[in-house]
Amino acid sequence: MSNEKQGGAYLRASTIHDRVQLGEGTTFLPGPKDPSIAPLISHVLEHGYVILPKIFTPQQVSLANSELARLSSLSSGPASKGGRNPFEGYSTKRIYSLCDKSRAFDCFPIHETVLKLNDYFLQKAYLMTSFHTVVIGPGEKEQEIHTDDGLIALPRPRPLMGIGTMIALDDFTSTNGATTLIPGSHLWPDSRRPTRAEMIPAIMPAGSMVYFLNTVWHSGGANTSSSMRRSMTVQYCQPWIRTYENFTVAQGWEDLDVVPKRLLQLMGFSTHDFMGYVDGRSPRAGVEMRKKRLLEWGAEQKRNQTSKSKGAEEPDEERDKSRL
């Protein structure tokens, strides 16, 4: 009997031998390889990224920009009018939790080509870990060079934790803040440090996406143009990057004030740097925001029900008058 059968669901030692190492920087377990995207996979393996030109239609991009304009006119989160720190960018506007803001954005995280790439580079049942807009305004400086797994303290070569993408809602140019990255940096050891001179801009037309492993060094570019650069980022992570038990859903929100603060932190009502945010806020602030919205929704439902009941009574009243 094999070790895998002996161990059941919790022992899959054989998968260790299936792991692929890319240079001195990245390891991963390859999934199914769809022949239709084989050249894209090869490009990512070699360079760490690939540009997918115009994979979204002009209609999808136009609708997204219209919704972005609408949301930008509202109070749409703590960074919707500008970043709160140098990493977000003081001249960069971000609207978080797009799935909660509008159905106009639903098509972007689930594009068939992107999911096929994820099926190869990530393990089955992978998750979306972030989905928000990134609008870089004129005068914005270059973002700090980073990798998207930089908060995970594991030495290289390290397991691939996730995938990053940037979706262009405007043309990405060399002057308007196009995402910059270092080709091949997913192969580097920890001792190799990035420099700005090694970076290239992801120049691409609106409707395109740049797809990259999260071991690739990259940053937002400086916007030296006179126009804003509108975009969205969708990030995905391995399915095992989560707790066994989802305490933030299981715990009743009405009881949070009596739970010890340290216990709340352990349950996930906390952040690691900025990991774990809710609409750009702390999880505890996110709960209060949601509770307020639920109360408003309940009051609206009650008003609608009262209005319907009143409307249903009016014909009877008119009928009674006609009998007089």
Side-chain angles (χ1 to χ4, degrees):
M1 184 180 292
S2 69
N3 289 338
E4 185 173 352
K5 289 182 179 178
Q6 287 179 338
Y10 293 98
L11 180 61
R12 299 190 178 97
S14 62
T15 61
I16 296 173
H17 306 294
D18 299 329
R19 189 172 293 277
V20 172
Q21 181 167 324
L22 304 177
E24 299 179 72
T26 311
T27 67
F28 76 104
L29 287 170
K33 187 174 184 178
D34 190 300
S36 68
I37 60 162
L40 303 179
I41 289 174
S42 296
H43 196 282
V44 176
L45 290 172
E46 181 179 357
H47 302 287
Y49 78 98
V50 67
I51 291 177
L52 309 174
K54 295 186 176 181
I55 61 171
F56 299 107
T57 67
Q59 293 77 18
Q60 289 171 326
V61 172
S62 177
L63 179 58
N65 279 330
S66 295
E67 279 296 89
L68 176 54
R70 181 184 68 82
L71 292 170
S72 297
S73 69
L74 307 173
S75 178
S76 298
S80 61
K81 304 303 181 183
R84 298 161 290 180
N85 53 63
F87 189 81
E88 280 188 326
Y90 295 117
S91 296
T92 298
K93 301 176 182 179
R94 298 170 188 260
I95 297 176
Y96 292 99
S97 300
L98 289 180
C99 290
D100 187 47
K101 301 292 194 302
S102 171
R103 301 276 62 85
F105 304 113
D106 289 351
C107 61
F108 294 97
I110 56 175
H111 190 281
E112 182 181 11
T113 299
V114 178
L115 297 185
K116 286 180 179 179
L117 284 166
N118 286 348
D119 289 343
Y120 180 75
F121 286 105
L122 300 177
Q123 293 171 317
K124 188 177 180 180
Y126 54 81
L127 304 171
M128 182 172 67
T129 182
S130 181
F131 184 24
H132 61 85
T133 62
V134 184
V135 179
I136 297 182
E140 182 61 276
K141 299 177 181 179
E142 296 163 327
Q143 190 184 32
E144 176 187 354
I145 305 174
H146 63 282
T147 62
D148 287 337
D149 64 354
L151 295 177
I152 301 172
L154 291 175
R156 292 193 178 209
R158 58 173 167 257
L160 181 66
M161 302 293 175
I163 295 294
T165 74
M166 290 298 300
I167 299 165
L169 297 179
D170 290 309
D171 293 346
F172 274 30
T173 72
S174 60
T175 60
N176 73 351
T179 300
T180 59
L181 45 81
I182 303 180
S185 55
H186 65 304
L187 308 174
W188 293 2
D190 281 325
S191 57
R192 178 83 180 270
R193 307 307 296 171
T195 65
R196 191 67 65 181
E198 297 171 284
M199 308 196 82
I200 64 167
I203 297 175
M204 56 186 179
S208 304
M209 171 190 281
V210 58
Y211 177 102
F212 52 94
L213 306 181
N214 67 8
T215 47
V216 169
W217 289 98
H218 66 282
S219 77
N223 188 348
T224 60
S225 75
S226 59
S227 302
M228 61 183 176
R229 188 222 71 184
R230 296 171 294 184
S231 67
M232 293 183 290
T233 180
V234 186
Q235 299 188 30
Y236 307 87
C237 69
Q238 298 285 14
W240 35 264
I241 301 183
R242 55 173 135 188
T243 56
Y244 278 114
E245 188 168 348
N246 193 332
F247 294 107
T248 55
V249 175
Q251 174 66 37
W253 291 349
E254 70 279 6
D255 298 327
L256 292 183
D257 290 335
V258 299
V259 179
K261 183 177 180 181
R262 186 69 183 100
L263 182 56
L264 282 175
Q265 291 173 338
L266 291 173
M267 293 168 68
F269 293 92
S270 57
T271 58
H272 171 53
D273 204 322
F274 59 83
M275 294 170 69
Y277 63 76
V278 177
D279 199 13
R281 304 171 173 87
S282 71
R284 192 67 177 83
V287 167
E288 296 307 314
M289 174 186 68
R290 180 63 63 181
K291 285 165 65 176
K292 180 182 177 183
R293 284 178 58 181
L294 285 173
L295 288 172
E296 292 171 348
W297 176 82
E300 183 180 358
Q301 292 293 106
K302 187 175 181 179
R303 286 194 299 270
N304 291 341
Q305 188 61 41
T306 301
S307 177
K308 289 179 181 178
S309 298
K310 187 176 181 181
E313 294 172 0
E314 288 179 353
D316 293 334
E317 293 175 2
E318 293 298 323
R319 186 169 57 248
D320 290 341
K321 289 179 182 179
S322 67
R323 292 175 179 172
L324 296 176

